[in-house]
Amino acid sequence: MSFFDTDAPHPEASALTAFAGNRLDRQAEYRKDDCVEKALAIEGTHLLAFTGNKLILKHDSQVLDPLFSAYELAELKPDFDRAVLLGYRETGEPRIAVPVETAADDLASQYKPTDARALYRDGLLDEELQGEAAQAFALLNWNAANRFCGRCGSETTSELGGYKRTCTSCDNQMFPRTDPVVIMLTIDEERDMCLLGRSHHFQEGMYSCLAGFVEPGETIEHAVRRETVEESGIVAGRVRYHASQPWPMPHSLMIGCYAQALSTEITIDPQEMSDVRWFSRQEVIEMLDAGPDIKPFGPAKGAIAYRLMRDWIDWPR
Amino acid sequence: MSFFDTDAPHPEASALTAFAGNRLDRQAEYRKDDCVEKALAIEGTHLLAFTGNKLILKHDSQVLDPLFSAYELAELKPDFDRAVLLGYRETGEPRIAVPVETAADDLASQYKPTDARALYRDGLLDEELQGEAAQAFALLNWNAANRFCGRCGSETTSELGGYKRTCTSCDNQMFPRTDPVVIMLTIDEERDMCLLGRSHHFQEGMYSCLAGFVEPGETIEHAVRRETVEESGIVAGRVRYHASQPWPMPHSLMIGCYAQALSTEITIDPQEMSDVRWFSRQEVIEMLDAGPDIKPFGPAKGAIAYRLMRDWIDWPR
């Protein structure tokens, strides 16, 4: 028995979530300022193209294809000054993401601008391309939000292929931002039930795990307990990490945990939640099998919340 | 047996790390723009004072005390416009952090300006105050780095007691930043050895766990494997989360994991590391007991790297 064997139903639950299929060699320590330029010069290079906060997919007969050749992309007015180098495929092909100047509404009908949420919900790309798109969304979002220096207000310039921005005036250096979010399935072991809730913005009938941003000065475990008690009034005790997931809206890292319920009486935070309830094991099984046509229903398959719920059901007992 | 019982030597390793002792009630969902003002008006309120990136401690005979009354603080020229509300103690006393205009070099001799690293390394405060200081360091650092809007370059103003900044021109809203960092003890199970390294900036003779920032589009497990192979050439397989720690330099969340070594031959990245080596169980035991006088020596007790090493030794087998 290895130290790395646990009683979990999968060796790495993170690998089963949406956006987790990125296998690019990032060569993170060797990014240079001219890396995008050099990658563009490599023959056969394909690009991911973005308009605003949307990835552009090409309708290619039945298939949706996100990979543009430089030649194909030209008519959409790519802005290569804002391009980012994501990394390299095993074949040596570089993967570059580039914003275009053509607005989503002005795109020809063979192009389908798609936001990150639709990409995952509708399963429009294979896992590897979905993971590459996640990296691109996060980096482009960060670059767009940091065109000016937070310390002095002057313009910043992109360096290291989109992985650094430096102020043209005060030399302040900025690096990509990733926001850790805790998402937890809180379990009442004695009653064999779990806690699920609805935010105001959820689709009608949908219930999912509670979640919230990790705050400055917190451990993951602190954040899980704080968010749980804030949103539901339930006091949580022990916390067990289960899986993580990139979530590029705009650039989060979801940290999925199980939390031990130490109380049962729910007091919802009406500002954030429209409902929070206890669900039995049987109810969760039915929710995960049901689509949105039967209410209540659960999160989509690639969501880390789905993973937490499904794996609680499937955990060997 | 509970689902939350594991074979780990502690129920919550995170709780044993430095900066993890913050127990303030943050009332995160109910922060209002006037919350600092209202908290300052509460009788008996004490403040944490900062000059530049340093917490000011008062020499009070033998004790170092970070808590100022508003009266005591007046002579250091506090800037209440930049004050942040951390939360409330169980007694109801609010905890506020406030930058002062007096520079560290101009402070009278009864004041000791102290950076976050010294605070933890020298164990200058009890765990709870240390945790409150961590939250304050992270928030003040973030506010100072975002005085101007990254989207348009205009000035931003502080809202919600220091937990939000809004652009005065384009209404862009910004929230505190926390940078997830993976730190891992990579284990060769067959040889019962672990992988430790030295960065160029480490004290002479010190070895610790490898670490690095989680990148956009990565899971925690991806980041662990990528950083391990980049810095040491060692291929890692399975990953097991162990503990997390707030690390306010300037605002990180350390995510401590064990990683399974699938190879043995080390190729260091000379740009980042001055040495990486395998250590036997016995060598690690000796390192953790030795101080910096005997080389090689390990990380300080509150460090999450210490926790990963110590708990590997203490893990029931």
Side-chain angles (χ1 to χ4, degrees):
Chain A
M1 167 119 178
S2 156
F3 174 77
F4 293 91
D5 290 330
T6 68
D7 58 344
H10 310 287
E12 188 166 314
S14 304
L16 304 175
T17 64
F19 300 121
N22 189 320
R23 291 206 289 268
L24 295 177
D25 177 2
R26 295 168 178 246
Q27 304 192 356
E29 302 301 328
Y30 294 93
R31 289 176 185 127
K32 299 269 182 277
D33 291 343
D34 62 354
C35 65
V36 172
E37 205 180 322
K38 281 192 171 161
L40 281 169
I42 294 174
E43 210 172 334
T45 296
H46 286 81
L47 303 109
L48 299 174
F50 291 79
T51 178
N53 199 15
K54 290 179 173 173
L55 175 69
I56 302 173
L57 302 176
K58 298 180 292 179
H59 283 284
D60 196 4
S61 66
Q62 302 304 314
V63 187
L64 288 169
D65 180 6
L67 296 176
F68 284 80
S69 67
Y71 171 80
E72 284 178 302
L73 196 61
E75 67 169 16
L76 303 183
K77 299 187 199 142
D79 179 358
F80 288 111
D81 288 344
R82 290 192 287 146
V84 300
L85 174 63
L86 306 176
Y88 296 84
R89 284 254 173 161
E90 253 191 349
T91 57
E93 191 193 346
R95 186 66 81 232
I96 298 168
V98 57
V100 304
E101 283 170 22
T102 308
D105 289 344
D106 298 335
L107 287 173
S109 64
Q110 76 265 35
Y111 299 120
K112 185 180 158 68
T114 310
D115 65 19
R117 194 171 294 272
L119 212 59
Y120 121 82
R121 189 193 52 212
D122 304 335
L124 300 178
L125 299 178
D126 73 40
E127 284 177 18
E128 212 169 331
L129 279 168
Q130 197 186 51
E132 293 169 5
Q135 184 186 354
F137 273 114
L139 267 175
L140 293 177
N141 285 332
W142 173 76
N143 274 280
N146 290 276
R147 292 177 50 222
F148 295 88
C149 174
R151 292 198 184 276
C152 80
S154 305
E155 277 189 53
T156 60
T157 53
S158 176
E159 296 177 7
L160 307 183
Y163 271 85
K164 183 180 172 184
R165 298 191 72 90
T166 299
C167 178
T168 51
S169 167
C170 76
D171 282 340
N172 178 27
Q173 303 186 333
M174 285 161 275
F175 295 92
R177 169 172 175 154
T178 300
D179 299 318
V181 172
V182 288
I183 177 162
M184 48 272 165
L185 188 66
T186 300
I187 296 170
D188 180 331
E189 294 183 275
E190 205 171 311
R191 298 187 301 156
D192 203 24
M193 298 184 97
C194 71
L195 191 71
L196 300 172
R198 306 181 23 77
S199 293
H200 296 296
H201 64 85
F202 277 16
Q203 219 181 314
E204 206 200 313
M206 182 184 161
Y207 281 77
S208 187
C209 295
L210 307 185
F213 289 101
V214 176
E215 289 220 345
E218 282 186 326
T219 63
I220 289 172
E221 292 81 359
H222 280 164
V224 165
R225 287 190 287 261
R226 179 184 51 74
E227 284 288 344
T228 304
V229 77
E230 275 176 15
E231 295 186 352
S232 69
I234 296 300
V235 178
R238 292 184 63 178
V239 173
R240 185 170 177 176
Y241 168 81
H242 185 53
S244 57
Q245 176 183 37
W247 194 247
M249 305 164 210
H251 33 54
S252 288
L253 171 70
M254 306 300 289
I255 302 174
C257 296
Y258 293 104
Q260 179 185 39
L262 298 181
S263 69
T264 57
E265 197 171 327
I266 293 168
T267 315
I268 73 162
D269 171 6
Q271 198 171 296
E272 240 194 311
M273 305 303 292
S274 72
D275 190 24
V276 179
R277 278 197 235 163
W278 290 107
F279 289 77
S280 72
R281 180 175 293 268
Q282 191 54 40
E283 284 174 309
V284 173
I285 291 171
E286 284 161 20
M287 279 174 75
L288 294 181
D289 292 341
D293 298 336
I294 301 167
K295 297 182 175 64
F297 66 98
K301 233 177 179 172
I304 193 167
Y306 174 92
R307 203 71 258 150
L308 286 162
M309 291 162 71
R310 170 62 69 193
D311 289 353
W312 174 56
I313 299 297
D314 291 346
W315 213 281
R317 297 196 295 170
Chain B
M1 166 122 178
S2 157
F3 175 77
F4 294 90
D5 290 332
T6 69
D7 56 344
H10 310 287
E12 188 166 313
S14 304
L16 304 175
T17 64
F19 298 122
N22 189 319
R23 290 208 288 269
L24 293 177
D25 177 1
R26 294 166 178 247
Q27 305 192 353
E29 303 300 328
Y30 294 92
R31 291 176 182 126
K32 299 267 183 276
D33 291 343
D34 63 352
C35 64
V36 171
E37 205 181 322
K38 281 192 171 159
L40 281 168
I42 295 174
E43 210 171 335
T45 297
H46 286 81
L47 304 110
L48 299 175
F50 291 80
T51 177
N53 199 14
K54 291 179 173 174
L55 176 69
I56 303 172
L57 302 176
K58 299 179 291 179
H59 283 283
D60 197 5
S61 64
Q62 302 303 314
V63 186
L64 288 169
D65 180 6
L67 296 176
F68 284 79
S69 66
Y71 171 81
E72 283 176 304
L73 196 60
E75 66 168 16
L76 302 183
K77 299 185 200 143
D79 179 357
F80 288 112
D81 287 343
R82 291 192 287 145
V84 299
L85 175 63
L86 305 176
Y88 296 84
R89 285 254 173 162
E90 254 190 350
T91 57
E93 190 193 345
R95 185 66 81 233
I96 297 167
V98 58
V100 304
E101 283 170 23
T102 308
D105 289 345
D106 298 335
L107 287 172
S109 63
Q110 76 266 34
Y111 298 120
K112 185 181 159 69
T114 310
D115 64 21
R117 194 171 294 274
L119 212 61
Y120 122 81
R121 189 192 53 215
D122 303 336
L124 300 178
L125 298 178
D126 72 40
E127 285 175 18
E128 212 169 330
L129 279 169
Q130 197 187 50
E132 293 169 4
Q135 184 185 356
F137 273 114
L139 267 176
L140 293 177
N141 285 332
W142 173 76
N143 274 280
N146 291 278
R147 291 177 50 222
F148 296 88
C149 174
R151 294 198 182 274
C152 79
S154 304
E155 277 189 54
T156 61
T157 51
S158 176
E159 296 177 6
L160 306 184
Y163 271 82
K164 182 181 175 185
R165 299 191 71 88
T166 300
C167 178
T168 51
S169 168
C170 75
D171 281 339
N172 179 26
Q173 303 186 335
M174 286 161 277
F175 295 91
R177 171 172 174 154
T178 299
D179 300 317
V181 172
V182 287
I183 178 163
M184 48 271 167
L185 188 66
T186 300
I187 295 170
D188 179 333
E189 293 182 276
E190 204 172 311
R191 297 188 301 156
D192 204 23
M193 298 183 96
C194 71
L195 191 71
L196 300 173
R198 306 179 24 74
S199 293
H200 295 297
H201 64 85
F202 276 18
Q203 219 182 317
E204 206 199 314
M206 181 182 162
Y207 281 78
S208 187
C209 295
L210 306 185
F213 289 100
V214 176
E215 290 219 346
E218 282 185 326
T219 63
I220 289 172
E221 293 81 359
H222 280 164
V224 165
R225 287 190 287 261
R226 178 184 53 74
E227 284 288 345
T228 303
V229 76
E230 275 175 15
E231 294 186 352
S232 69
I234 296 300
V235 177
R238 292 184 60 179
V239 172
R240 185 169 176 176
Y241 168 81
H242 185 54
S244 58
Q245 177 184 35
W247 193 247
M249 304 162 210
H251 33 53
S252 289
L253 171 70
M254 306 300 288
I255 302 175
C257 296
Y258 293 104
Q260 180 185 38
L262 298 180
S263 67
T264 57
E265 197 170 325
I266 293 168
T267 314
I268 72 163
D269 171 7
Q271 198 172 296
E272 240 195 312
M273 306 302 292
S274 73
D275 192 22
V276 179
R277 277 196 234 165
W278 291 107
F279 288 78
S280 70
R281 180 176 292 269
Q282 191 53 41
E283 283 174 311
V284 173
I285 293 172
E286 284 162 19
M287 278 173 76
L288 293 181
D289 291 341
D293 298 337
I294 300 166
K295 295 181 178 68
F297 67 97
K301 234 177 178 170
I304 193 168
Y306 174 93
R307 202 71 259 152
L308 286 163
M309 293 162 70
R310 169 62 69 194
D311 289 353
W312 174 56
I313 298 298
D314 291 346
W315 214 281
R317 296 198 294 167

